[in-house]
Amino acid sequence: RDRARLLISCPDRPGIVAAVSQFLYQQGANIVQSDQHSTDPSSGLFFMRIEFELPNLGAHWDELTGRFAEVARTFQMTWRFNRAHVPKRMAVFVSKEEHCLLELLWQWQSGDLYADLVMVVSNHPDAGATVAPLGIPFYHIPVTPETKKDAEAKQLALLASHKVDLVVLARYMQILSGDFVRQYPNRIINIHHSFLPAFIGRNPYARAYQRGVKLIGATAHYVTEDLDEGPIIEQDVQRVDHRDEVEDLKRIGRQIERTVLVRAVKWHLEDRILTYNNRTIVFR
Amino acid sequence: RDRARLLISCPDRPGIVAAVSQFLYQQGANIVQSDQHSTDPSSGLFFMRIEFELPNLGAHWDELTGRFAEVARTFQMTWRFNRAHVPKRMAVFVSKEEHCLLELLWQWQSGDLYADLVMVVSNHPDAGATVAPLGIPFYHIPVTPETKKDAEAKQLALLASHKVDLVVLARYMQILSGDFVRQYPNRIINIHHSFLPAFIGRNPYARAYQRGVKLIGATAHYVTEDLDEGPIIEQDVQRVDHRDEVEDLKRIGRQIERTVLVRAVKWHLEDRILTYNNRTIVFR
Amino acid sequence: RDRARLLISCPDRPGIVAAVSQFLYQQGANIVQSDQHSTDPSSGLFFMRIEFELPNLGAHWDELTGRFAEVARTFQMTWRFNRAHVPKRMAVFVSKEEHCLLELLWQWQSGDLYADLVMVVSNHPDAGATVAPLGIPFYHIPVTPETKKDAEAKQLALLASHKVDLVVLARYMQILSGDFVRQYPNRIINIHHSFLPAFIGRNPYARAYQRGVKLIGATAHYVTEDLDEGPIIEQDVQRVDHRDEVEDLKRIGRQIERTVLVRAVKWHLEDRILTYNNRTIVFR
Amino acid sequence: RDRARLLISCPDRPGIVAAVSQFLYQQGANIVQSDQHSTDPSSGLFFMRIEFELPNLGAHWDELTGRFAEVARTFQMTWRFNRAHVPKRMAVFVSKEEHCLLELLWQWQSGDLYADLVMVVSNHPDAGATVAPLGIPFYHIPVTPETKKDAEAKQLALLASHKVDLVVLARYMQILSGDFVRQYPNRIINIHHSFLPAFIGRNPYARAYQRGVKLIGATAHYVTEDLDEGPIIEQDVQRVDHRDEVEDLKRIGRQIERTVLVRAVKWHLEDRILTYNNRTIVFR
């Protein structure tokens, strides 16, 4: 199709919107959605997402992006264009619990998640049976403390050879190394099974039970080198009460996890997320 | 201050954002927030809200608005500029139940509701005691089927002489005539104590109880001549269960009503609402 | 296992709890959960659900239920015992949209829905491919205005021969006749894709869009002869805004529908629901 | 009136419900609500709350409670009876921010909060003007590090002389000493302005902003010697996004705080809360 998105970050100052919208107009584009955010109009950062249509987009692509470089230079912009109809290439990592994987597959099959699902990777063989009938390549790469380095090398090779754009950790219970993470900045989304920053780390449901909380939650975030400290994309909670044992919290939590993860992945695929200062701007 | 808002509706076509942002830039304005919506990029309607800062706004006001008329003409725009620091003049109509009035007063006192509260009108004398200590003029105008016409005449005279911009019906239990309503299009906000379009009309909580619903709600909407049929601004709900009698529904409902009404009023005061086709666009 | 549930309805009067708990104690049972509700302690109806454990339950079953008849007579009780480990026999009816069916299958496979899924019935052949790999019998019974009577006869014969306890209408787009419904009182659960009583009948999402609501919802209810008028079991809503077209409402609505339907089915399977006066009491 | 509540905790074993309900029946009481919870039917703890009506309750009170002591002994119960129409004596502690105090006053005035509001205590003079017109005694007791010990002595003397049952910390920004807290176990309710255990301690909104969370919350809990570690009674959250600055979080948070605090206080006043293991059981 003829739809594209332009994402911009730059120091805020007067004239940015005028320059960008003037440029797009001159190229023949019609803006269909536009969102912006300024951390501080006088001396802050400016962020913008524009979705536009340009007839015969493919033919104009190189010219469009080439000419925009000039505008971008003037305003010291970090920027990127993405064509809406080019699906991002997505890999899903999973361990034994498949509820997040299943929700991703489902939304993907129903067309609500627009991506090429190029592979599923797991440190356990179980998910293979789920994935196989759908024709999605499945790679079983076991991970032990001894083999972790090799396993990550294999994973990285797969991601590279499949030109993966986005890695989704769908309850993948292994911690990725800093080396791995640095190669996919803001391109690895994890679902943590608590309302961060509460219950960072292992066994959040058991600890939530122990603390006697009245709501439990889940958090989707970009993965950084610091465990569970990356920019938060989305969070949600559900009410629990004294009758709910740890197993109930896990069951209720599974529903929150899959909902929250899918929302975050969807927003990423639609180029709705910008990050700065370990925070996300989500243009919904 | 030097902040203003521009609201626009017009047929959608390429170049609107460019023209408007170019214009504002040339006047020396810095856009701090911008939201837009198109019902259909090819042949639909385009809606926009821009919040901007312009140094020494007061001195430039006439020039700014005068010159914009040209831009507006080109695109067949319906438009208005509002200065953010000029409070809207608000009247609150109330009957016996004061929870919505109290919430409005409270938010107004704490500065969260930016308006001049120029009068409170009631068909009962009770609210006078609440309003008097705050120095807000209170008018007790009784309404009976016989006196309704006269009562409305008095109310309209008061609204006119106080140059009221917005009328808030905070559980005012009288139905305004079409004549009244037509004089304040999209400028009367009512809180209906149900999740519209369920339980239009009288006694919604009793009927909600009767039907055995598991959630009850409230709806803030602009008032039109058709009872409870005006453009919906905001709605919310709360969970109830079999233990809740009608009185409980009313008590729970009061919390929803005051929350929902205040949100709607706040958005109106901040010029965040546009209407078309009996629907609202709320740029939050 | 040795766990059972006792459900009771009767006129309220002093001594019911004492008599029932005394009886269970004398039989050697330990009450693990107990919920009760009275519409009015002086002259109303009393409802109770008791979950208890009795060692070697199977051997005592006939004696237990036989002897309870005496207690029940004294208090004019409507009552039933159910053994927790005996799964109810469930049939799912579906048309073309499979999201509710899929959620039911998923929860059933993960063990969160304790039932025997004895058949899936559809007026379209599509769902067969989903159901077949799981070994669940699938019956394709087309329905036209002319064949409806025959189709229902076939359906009823299937339900009878499979001794079905519960029929779940998982977006089954045919209206069941009064004859059908009367054979399964409080044993047919439907999911309606609106927040009842708003948008009864066809195309609720299109009508919700038209009305400009700010929340959309779904309702699970027992089916009675009056369309969409049966006792409501569960409802939930999600926020929408002006950017959401009818297709978006449908997409968002699918998530609500599957959540709400599964909750209602789960509560039914766990004997948590009693009805009176076209209302439900849900002992959670 | 003739309504009372009985609260029980004891080791779980068969026969408790039978014995208690039999006892109440023999005294002529009619049970109108009954809730129970067992941490583990085989070897756990059993908790129960029974609300009942007994004609001419006042005349039977001593006999009722005296005779129950026998039943209680048999089952090693911790227990208490409370008469529903005897209001608890409540003191509210507040600092400069009055939104939680105002909500309490409001619900108390409207009759939704059934208590004797015997005093308001503050380390600042400001709230005096709010409280005075209502005829509630106001005590301004400044607190500095040097005078804290004396201030607490004064506060404790006031609480004792007014026979206060419940202390509500409605955004009271001083930390009570262990000595103070130990005198009112499970009788001091605090509102913490975060979703505990996230953001324990000072400035939770600033830290929530810093972390970039997508929901903010509030927590009502009983106060123990460990700051923000007491049993959680109630929590709730609201959605925020990248546009919300710290000031917005505070404003949004105020709404959550007052809602959550009032719910917790209401449940306490209605004897709905039991505690064990630093957790609460809330029989709603």
Side-chain angles (χ1 to χ4, degrees):
Chain A
R1 280 239 264 79
D2 291 337
R3 190 168 282 216
R5 300 156 195 151
L6 169 59
L7 284 102
I8 294 169
S9 326
C10 63
D12 199 358
R13 67 176 230 208
I16 305 173
V17 180
V20 173
S21 55
Q22 195 66 34
F23 170 83
L24 287 172
Y25 177 56
Q26 283 162 355
Q27 305 299 312
N30 189 18
I31 296 174
V32 293
Q33 200 185 335
S34 169
D35 292 281
Q36 60 177 81
H37 177 65
S38 174
T39 60
D40 179 352
S42 60
S43 64
L45 288 170
F46 178 84
F47 303 91
M48 193 169 202
R49 178 188 186 273
I50 292 183
E51 196 158 332
F52 61 91
E53 294 202 339
L54 201 163
N56 208 359
L57 179 65
H60 294 86
W61 189 251
D62 290 343
E63 197 186 317
L64 178 81
T65 55
R67 287 197 182 164
F68 188 74
E70 278 173 62
V71 179
R73 212 156 21 237
T74 314
F75 292 93
Q76 300 169 266
M77 289 173 178
T78 304
W79 59 285
R80 64 176 198 267
F81 281 95
N82 279 319
R83 299 188 62 172
H85 90 290
V86 178
K88 293 200 185 353
R89 300 177 62 78
M90 181 168 79
V92 178
F93 281 37
V94 67
S95 291
K96 282 198 163 171
E97 291 208 69
E98 296 188 22
H99 55 282
C100 285
L101 171 64
L102 283 170
E103 183 77 23
L104 288 165
L105 291 174
W106 179 349
Q107 302 272 353
W108 174 73
Q109 286 179 286
S110 74
D112 286 346
L113 221 55
Y114 188 67
D116 275 353
L117 214 173
V118 294
M119 71 172 94
V120 171
V121 174
S122 180
N123 55 331
H124 293 282
D126 315 42
T130 305
V131 167
L134 302 168
I136 302 162
F138 175 78
Y139 300 98
H140 173 215
I141 304 179
V143 180
T144 64
E146 295 74 36
T147 65
K148 179 165 179 178
K149 213 181 160 82
D150 285 356
E152 286 203 347
K154 271 187 219 165
Q155 291 165 349
L156 284 168
L158 279 169
L159 296 180
S161 69
H162 285 75
K163 297 187 199 314
V164 164
D165 296 306
L166 173 66
V167 177
V168 179
L169 308 183
R171 297 298 307 272
Y172 182 64
M173 304 307 279
Q174 297 290 326
I175 296 168
L176 298 178
S177 71
D179 276 350
F180 191 117
V181 169
R182 271 189 298 275
Q183 298 197 35
Y184 288 89
N186 292 333
R187 289 164 67 198
I188 309 174
I189 295 177
N190 181 47
I191 181 73
H192 184 74
H193 40 316
S194 83
F195 182 80
L196 288 176
F199 310 121
I200 289 173
R202 296 268 165 197
N203 296 322
Y205 291 126
R207 287 151 64 208
Y209 176 82
Q210 190 68 25
R211 182 61 188 91
V213 295
K214 298 297 184 184
L215 299 168
I216 58 165
T219 304
H221 63 95
Y222 285 122
V223 176
T224 57
E225 294 183 53
D226 297 317
L227 182 65
D228 299 338
E229 295 286 358
I232 292 170
I233 303 169
E234 172 65 341
Q235 306 188 285
D236 214 338
V237 295
Q238 282 280 342
R239 198 161 277 280
V240 295
D241 71 22
H242 59 268
R243 290 168 298 192
D244 295 307
E245 307 284 327
V246 175
E247 284 311 307
D248 299 305
L249 301 193
K250 286 183 184 172
R251 181 176 46 75
I252 295 164
R254 282 197 294 266
Q255 309 295 325
I256 319 173
E257 292 164 31
R258 56 189 181 124
T259 308
V260 166
L261 179 60
V262 165
R263 272 189 223 143
V265 169
K266 199 166 152 58
W267 294 336
H268 181 97
L269 295 174
E270 296 173 356
D271 300 305
R272 297 187 178 279
I273 314 177
L274 287 164
T275 61
Y276 82 108
N277 261 0
N278 207 44
R279 300 160 54 81
T280 61
I281 292 158
V282 181
F283 289 129
R284 290 205 270 177
Chain B
R1 278 239 263 80
D2 292 337
R3 190 169 283 215
R5 300 156 195 150
L6 170 58
L7 283 102
I8 293 168
S9 325
C10 64
D12 200 358
R13 69 177 231 208
I16 305 173
V17 180
V20 173
S21 55
Q22 195 67 32
F23 170 83
L24 287 172
Y25 177 55
Q26 283 162 354
Q27 304 300 312
N30 189 19
I31 296 173
V32 294
Q33 200 184 334
S34 170
D35 292 281
Q36 60 177 82
H37 176 64
S38 174
T39 59
D40 180 351
S42 60
S43 65
L45 289 169
F46 178 84
F47 303 91
M48 193 172 203
R49 178 189 187 272
I50 293 184
E51 195 159 333
F52 61 90
E53 294 202 338
L54 200 163
N56 207 0
L57 178 65
H60 294 84
W61 189 250
D62 290 344
E63 196 185 318
L64 178 80
T65 56
R67 287 197 181 163
F68 187 73
E70 278 174 63
V71 180
R73 211 153 26 233
T74 314
F75 292 93
Q76 300 169 265
M77 289 174 179
T78 304
W79 58 285
R80 65 176 198 266
F81 281 95
N82 279 318
R83 298 188 63 173
H85 91 289
V86 179
K88 293 199 185 354
R89 299 176 62 78
M90 180 167 80
V92 178
F93 281 37
V94 68
S95 290
K96 281 199 164 170
E97 291 208 68
E98 297 188 22
H99 55 282
C100 285
L101 171 64
L102 283 169
E103 184 77 21
L104 288 165
L105 290 175
W106 177 349
Q107 302 271 353
W108 174 72
Q109 286 179 286
S110 73
D112 286 346
L113 221 54
Y114 187 69
D116 274 352
L117 214 173
V118 295
M119 71 174 94
V120 171
V121 174
S122 180
N123 55 334
H124 294 282
D126 316 41
T130 305
V131 167
L134 301 168
I136 302 164
F138 176 78
Y139 300 98
H140 172 214
I141 304 178
V143 180
T144 64
E146 295 74 36
T147 65
K148 181 166 177 175
K149 214 181 158 81
D150 286 355
E152 286 203 348
K154 270 186 221 165
Q155 291 165 350
L156 284 167
L158 279 169
L159 296 180
S161 69
H162 284 76
K163 297 188 199 316
V164 163
D165 296 307
L166 173 67
V167 178
V168 179
L169 307 183
R171 294 301 305 274
Y172 181 65
M173 304 307 280
Q174 297 290 326
I175 296 168
L176 299 177
S177 71
D179 277 350
F180 191 117
V181 168
R182 270 190 298 274
Q183 298 197 35
Y184 288 87
N186 291 334
R187 288 164 67 198
I188 309 174
I189 296 177
N190 182 46
I191 181 74
H192 184 74
H193 40 317
S194 83
F195 182 82
L196 290 176
F199 309 120
I200 289 173
R202 297 267 165 198
N203 296 323
Y205 291 126
R207 288 150 65 208
Y209 176 82
Q210 191 67 23
R211 182 62 188 92
V213 295
K214 298 299 185 185
L215 297 169
I216 58 166
T219 304
H221 62 93
Y222 284 122
V223 176
T224 57
E225 295 183 52
D226 298 318
L227 184 64
D228 300 339
E229 294 287 356
I232 292 171
I233 304 169
E234 173 65 342
Q235 306 187 286
D236 215 338
V237 294
Q238 282 280 342
R239 196 160 279 280
V240 295
D241 70 24
H242 59 268
R243 289 169 299 191
D244 295 308
E245 307 284 328
V246 176
E247 285 310 306
D248 299 305
L249 301 194
K250 286 182 184 172
R251 180 175 47 75
I252 295 164
R254 283 197 292 268
Q255 309 296 324
I256 319 174
E257 292 165 31
R258 56 188 181 125
T259 308
V260 165
L261 178 60
V262 165
R263 271 189 225 144
V265 170
K266 199 167 151 58
W267 294 336
H268 181 96
L269 295 175
E270 295 173 356
D271 300 305
R272 297 187 177 281
I273 314 177
L274 287 164
T275 61
Y276 83 107
N277 262 358
N278 207 42
R279 301 159 51 83
T280 62
I281 292 157
V282 182
F283 289 129
R284 289 204 271 177
Chain C
R1 279 236 267 82
D2 291 338
R3 189 169 285 215
R5 301 156 194 150
L6 170 58
L7 283 101
I8 293 169
S9 326
C10 64
D12 199 358
R13 67 177 231 209
I16 305 173
V17 181
V20 174
S21 55
Q22 195 68 32
F23 170 84
L24 287 172
Y25 177 55
Q26 283 162 354
Q27 304 299 313
N30 189 18
I31 296 174
V32 293
Q33 200 185 334
S34 170
D35 292 281
Q36 60 177 81
H37 176 64
S38 175
T39 61
D40 180 350
S42 59
S43 64
L45 288 170
F46 178 84
F47 303 91
M48 193 172 202
R49 177 188 186 274
I50 293 182
E51 195 158 332
F52 60 89
E53 294 202 338
L54 200 162
N56 207 1
L57 179 65
H60 295 85
W61 190 251
D62 291 343
E63 196 186 317
L64 178 80
T65 55
R67 287 197 181 164
F68 187 74
E70 278 174 62
V71 180
R73 209 153 25 233
T74 313
F75 293 92
Q76 300 169 266
M77 289 174 179
T78 304
W79 58 284
R80 66 176 197 266
F81 282 95
N82 279 320
R83 298 188 62 172
H85 91 289
V86 178
K88 294 200 185 351
R89 299 177 63 78
M90 180 167 81
V92 178
F93 281 37
V94 68
S95 291
K96 281 200 164 171
E97 292 208 70
E98 295 187 22
H99 55 281
C100 286
L101 171 64
L102 283 170
E103 184 77 22
L104 288 165
L105 290 174
W106 179 348
Q107 303 271 354
W108 173 72
Q109 285 179 287
S110 73
D112 286 346
L113 221 55
Y114 187 68
D116 274 353
L117 214 173
V118 294
M119 71 173 93
V120 172
V121 174
S122 180
N123 55 332
H124 295 280
D126 316 43
T130 305
V131 167
L134 301 168
I136 302 163
F138 175 79
Y139 300 97
H140 173 214
I141 304 177
V143 180
T144 64
E146 295 73 37
T147 64
K148 182 166 175 176
K149 215 181 157 82
D150 285 355
E152 287 203 347
K154 270 186 220 165
Q155 291 165 349
L156 284 167
L158 279 170
L159 296 179
S161 70
H162 284 77
K163 297 187 199 316
V164 163
D165 297 306
L166 173 66
V167 177
V168 179
L169 307 183
R171 295 300 305 273
Y172 181 65
M173 304 306 280
Q174 298 289 326
I175 297 168
L176 299 177
S177 71
D179 276 351
F180 192 117
V181 169
R182 270 190 297 275
Q183 299 196 35
Y184 288 88
N186 291 334
R187 288 164 68 197
I188 309 175
I189 295 177
N190 182 46
I191 181 75
H192 184 74
H193 39 317
S194 83
F195 182 81
L196 288 176
F199 310 121
I200 288 173
R202 296 266 167 199
N203 296 323
Y205 292 125
R207 287 151 65 207
Y209 176 82
Q210 191 67 24
R211 182 62 187 91
V213 296
K214 299 298 184 185
L215 298 168
I216 57 167
T219 305
H221 62 95
Y222 284 121
V223 176
T224 56
E225 293 183 53
D226 298 318
L227 184 64
D228 300 338
E229 296 286 357
I232 293 171
I233 303 169
E234 172 65 341
Q235 306 187 286
D236 214 338
V237 294
Q238 281 281 340
R239 196 160 279 279
V240 296
D241 69 25
H242 59 269
R243 291 169 297 192
D244 295 308
E245 307 284 329
V246 176
E247 284 311 306
D248 299 305
L249 301 193
K250 286 183 184 170
R251 181 176 46 76
I252 295 164
R254 283 197 291 269
Q255 309 297 323
I256 320 174
E257 292 164 31
R258 57 189 180 123
T259 309
V260 166
L261 178 58
V262 165
R263 272 190 223 142
V265 170
K266 199 167 150 59
W267 294 337
H268 181 97
L269 294 175
E270 295 172 357
D271 300 305
R272 297 187 177 279
I273 314 177
L274 286 165
T275 61
Y276 83 109
N277 262 358
N278 208 42
R279 303 159 51 83
T280 62
I281 292 158
V282 181
F283 289 128
R284 290 205 270 177
Chain D
R1 278 236 268 80
D2 291 338
R3 189 170 283 216
R5 301 157 194 150
L6 168 59
L7 284 102
I8 294 168
S9 326
C10 63
D12 200 359
R13 68 177 229 208
I16 305 172
V17 180
V20 173
S21 54
Q22 194 67 33
F23 170 83
L24 288 172
Y25 178 56
Q26 284 163 351
Q27 306 299 314
N30 189 18
I31 296 174
V32 293
Q33 200 185 336
S34 169
D35 292 281
Q36 61 178 79
H37 176 65
S38 174
T39 60
D40 179 352
S42 60
S43 64
L45 288 170
F46 178 85
F47 303 91
M48 192 171 202
R49 177 189 186 274
I50 292 182
E51 196 158 333
F52 61 90
E53 294 202 339
L54 200 161
N56 207 358
L57 179 64
H60 294 84
W61 190 251
D62 290 343
E63 194 185 319
L64 178 80
T65 54
R67 286 197 183 163
F68 188 73
E70 277 174 64
V71 179
R73 213 158 18 239
T74 315
F75 292 93
Q76 299 169 267
M77 291 174 177
T78 305
W79 58 285
R80 64 175 198 267
F81 281 95
N82 280 319
R83 299 187 63 171
H85 90 290
V86 178
K88 293 200 186 353
R89 301 177 61 78
M90 180 167 80
V92 177
F93 282 37
V94 68
S95 291
K96 283 198 164 172
E97 292 208 68
E98 296 188 21
H99 55 281
C100 285
L101 171 63
L102 283 170
E103 184 77 23
L104 288 165
L105 290 174
W106 178 349
Q107 303 271 355
W108 173 72
Q109 285 178 286
S110 73
D112 286 346
L113 219 56
Y114 187 68
D116 274 352
L117 215 173
V118 294
M119 71 173 94
V120 171
V121 174
S122 180
N123 54 333
H124 294 281
D126 315 42
T130 305
V131 167
L134 302 168
I136 302 163
F138 175 77
Y139 300 98
H140 172 213
I141 304 179
V143 180
T144 64
E146 294 74 35
T147 65
K148 180 165 177 177
K149 213 180 160 81
D150 285 355
E152 288 203 346
K154 271 186 219 165
Q155 291 165 348
L156 285 168
L158 279 169
L159 296 179
S161 69
H162 284 75
K163 295 187 200 317
V164 163
D165 296 307
L166 173 66
V167 177
V168 179
L169 307 183
R171 295 300 305 273
Y172 181 65
M173 303 307 280
Q174 298 289 328
I175 296 168
L176 299 178
S177 70
D179 276 351
F180 191 118
V181 169
R182 269 189 299 275
Q183 299 196 35
Y184 288 88
N186 291 333
R187 290 164 67 197
I188 309 175
I189 295 178
N190 182 46
I191 181 72
H192 183 74
H193 40 317
S194 83
F195 183 81
L196 290 176
F199 309 121
I200 288 173
R202 297 266 165 198
N203 297 322
Y205 291 125
R207 288 151 64 207
Y209 176 82
Q210 190 67 25
R211 183 60 188 92
V213 295
K214 298 298 184 185
L215 298 169
I216 57 166
T219 304
H221 63 94
Y222 285 122
V223 176
T224 56
E225 295 184 52
D226 298 318
L227 183 64
D228 300 337
E229 295 285 357
I232 292 171
I233 303 169
E234 172 65 341
Q235 306 189 286
D236 214 339
V237 294
Q238 281 281 340
R239 196 160 279 279
V240 295
D241 70 23
H242 59 270
R243 291 169 297 192
D244 295 308
E245 307 285 328
V246 175
E247 285 310 308
D248 299 305
L249 302 194
K250 286 182 184 170
R251 180 175 47 75
I252 295 164
R254 282 197 293 267
Q255 308 296 325
I256 320 172
E257 292 164 31
R258 56 188 181 124
T259 309
V260 166
L261 179 59
V262 165
R263 271 190 225 142
V265 170
K266 200 167 151 58
W267 293 336
H268 181 97
L269 295 174
E270 295 173 356
D271 300 305
R272 296 187 178 281
I273 314 176
L274 287 164
T275 60
Y276 83 107
N277 261 358
N278 207 44
R279 301 160 53 83
T280 62
I281 292 157
V282 182
F283 289 127
R284 289 205 270 177

